[in-house]
Amino acid sequence: MPTFHPDVLHSFVTQVCEAMGSQSVEANLVADQLVGANLAGHDSHGVGMLPAYVGMKEFGSLQINQHVSTVIDTGGVVVLDGNSGFGQVNGKEAMDIAVERARANGVALVGLRNSFHIGRIGHWAEQCVAAGLASIHFVNVAGHSALVAPYGGADARFATNPFCVAVPATDGQPAALLDMATSKIAMGKARVAKNKGVPVPDGTLIDGEGRVTTDPRGMFEDPRQGALIAMGDHKGSGLAIMCELVGAALIGGPTLRGQDRPPTIINNMLTIAIDPAALGGADGLATEFDAYLDWVRASPVREGFDEVLMPGEPEQRARLARAEGIEVDDTTHQELLAAAAQAGRPDLKL
Ligand SMILES: NC(=O)c1ccc[n+]([C@@H]2O[C@H](COP(=O)([O-])OP(=O)(O)OC[C@H]3O[C@@H](n4cnc5c(N)ncnc54)[C@H](O)[C@@H]3O)[C@@H](O)[C@H]2O)c1
């Protein structure tokens, strides 16, 4: 599999975005997050998303060089509209506001409606954590057909609705960061499996008849055949539904019900940012986080496992392992070159 230095991928993504019309700041924010997702081990939300971005821009679903606009602002409560602009810009601007308001008020509630794809949600938690804040994010995915079947259901009624929580350590890094799709696997992981020609893990997918399958290809047929299975049975299915209700409907964003808009990837996100200092717990809090996590880690390892990991540790390890090279499968590599050509840069090499 071809392997690329992160800087090479970053430069490629930046140049393709600039060819799409993005100003330099926007192009760099997109590249930062996509390559950052690859570095964190989440190829599903890495540079492999770029061809979809190019296609959606041409289709008119992704608006270039947009910024958030304010819908409601009462100090600690802010609702923003992302105007179908790049989520990498909208997410950063929304978190800038969340950080400022949480520092002023102790807690901030920021709703972001109608953003184009905001990518790996942990990226936004990391922005809050870098400012010393804890954060909670409910997110829905609207604007395309449903992907995930509810518990007991044989067709899809919501998407992979991610949920994320992080708490800060003292060094600007998360003490723990839980960032997960509410489906057993993210859709991008089915795409990576399809591109590599390998099966998805057992129990993660149903076919068009509602039967469990490991073949991801039906998910990419038109019309789509099958659905992802929600994680955690009724509990994960329930959390995905709450992401629709809290992450979208509560802040005035679109749920996935009755979508008739052209294909796009719209995310709505409700963020709660919390300043530990406002709770009187800043002193010694990080020490308690670390001590508690160490105590959990010390659980005797169960048969079939090698170790007990905390949320966020697989991503930290991936960053160390991938710092000097990120593998890109052949299909994704070809799709990236085609995307560059589609954006007007057939000369770009990777
Ligand atoms: N923007 C969107 O529309 C959208 C939609 C869905 C998913 N996503 C993103 O997709 C990414 C991938 O989601 P996912 O659910 O496939 O992630 P995942 O299953 O790889 O990891 C989920 C969480 O579990 C933790 N984890 C993983 N393995 C662990 C282990 N062995 N022990 C302890 N903890 C462990 C990880 O640190 C992470 O916090 C996320 O970054 C998510 O934000 C985005």
Side-chain angles (χ1 to χ4, degrees):
M1 231 187 270
T3 301
F4 301 97
H5 192 275
D7 293 346
V8 171
L9 290 175
H10 193 283
S11 166
F12 182 86
V13 173
T14 305
Q15 291 180 75
V16 172
C17 289
E18 286 174 347
M20 290 164 72
S22 289
Q23 289 164 356
S24 167
V25 172
E26 177 166 289
N28 275 284
L29 286 174
V30 174
D32 288 350
Q33 198 208 27
L34 293 187
V35 177
N38 288 114
L39 284 169
H42 292 292
D43 294 336
S44 57
H45 288 72
V47 297
M49 288 303 299
L50 190 64
Y53 291 0
V54 172
M56 297 284 184
K57 189 259 172 182
E58 282 213 349
F59 192 70
S61 304
L62 164 62
Q63 306 303 318
I64 301 299
N65 297 324
Q66 293 293 312
H67 296 279
V68 294
S69 47
T70 304
V71 183
I72 294 168
D73 185 351
T74 61
V77 175
V78 180
V79 176
L80 306 164
D81 197 298
N83 303 305
S84 301
F86 263 123
Q88 288 78 6
V89 175
N90 288 330
K92 177 178 186 304
E93 293 180 351
M95 292 310 101
D96 284 344
I97 293 170
V99 167
E100 179 208 322
R101 301 306 171 87
R103 281 184 173 152
N105 302 304
V107 62
L109 192 156
V110 176
L112 173 63
R113 301 176 185 167
N114 294 315
S115 177
F116 192 75
H117 192 231
I118 57 175
R120 177 181 163 262
I121 309 306
H123 194 78
W124 309 121
E126 283 158 4
Q127 188 178 334
C128 294
V129 157
L133 307 178
S135 67
I136 303 168
H137 310 260
F138 288 86
V139 182
N140 93 326
V141 194
H144 58 60
S145 57
L147 298 173
V148 184
Y151 185 61
D155 76 356
R157 297 290 157 147
F158 40 80
T160 54
N161 293 355
F163 175 74
C164 178
V165 187
V167 292
T170 44
D171 57 358
Q173 298 297 315
L177 192 160
L178 175 69
D179 172 26
M180 61 188 201
T182 47
S183 50
K184 273 195 178 161
I185 57 168
M187 182 62 177
K189 290 196 171 148
R191 187 194 72 235
V192 171
K194 192 250 316 168
N195 285 351
K196 288 182 177 170
V198 298
V200 297
D202 202 19
T204 59
L205 210 60
I206 53 175
D207 64 18
E209 310 295 316
R211 290 175 304 230
V212 176
T213 177
T214 58
D215 183 348
R217 287 174 299 180
M219 292 298 288
F220 301 90
E221 284 173 21
D222 188 15
R224 182 172 285 124
Q225 297 299 311
L228 301 173
I229 294 176
M231 61 132 198
D233 298 333
H234 54 292
K235 300 177 190 181
S237 179
L239 182 56
I241 292 166
M242 296 314 287
C243 285
E244 291 284 337
L245 301 182
V246 176
L250 188 64
I251 60 164
T255 65
L256 199 53
R257 180 176 66 88
Q259 289 281 331
D260 58 359
R261 63 171 88 200
T264 181
I265 314 171
I266 290 292
N267 281 134
N268 300 280
M269 172 165 72
L270 176 131
T271 295
I272 303 166
I274 303 162
D275 185 354
L279 297 168
D283 291 342
L285 188 61
T287 310
E288 175 56 21
F289 286 154
D290 283 346
Y292 179 73
L293 293 166
D294 281 345
W295 184 68
V296 177
R297 233 181 245 113
S299 175
V301 177
R302 198 192 310 167
E303 189 183 338
F305 289 80
D306 297 325
E307 57 190 335
V308 177
L309 291 176
M310 295 303 104
E313 280 183 337
E315 287 75 11
Q316 288 169 7
R317 290 181 180 184
R319 284 187 189 107
L320 290 175
R322 293 180 166 202
E324 297 304 320
I326 295 168
E327 283 187 353
V328 175
D329 66 79
D330 289 329
T331 306
T332 304
H333 185 209
Q334 292 310 314
E335 286 177 356
L336 286 169
L337 294 173
Q342 193 180 356
R345 290 293 308 271
D347 57 303
L348 268 186
K349 301 277 176 270
L350 185 61

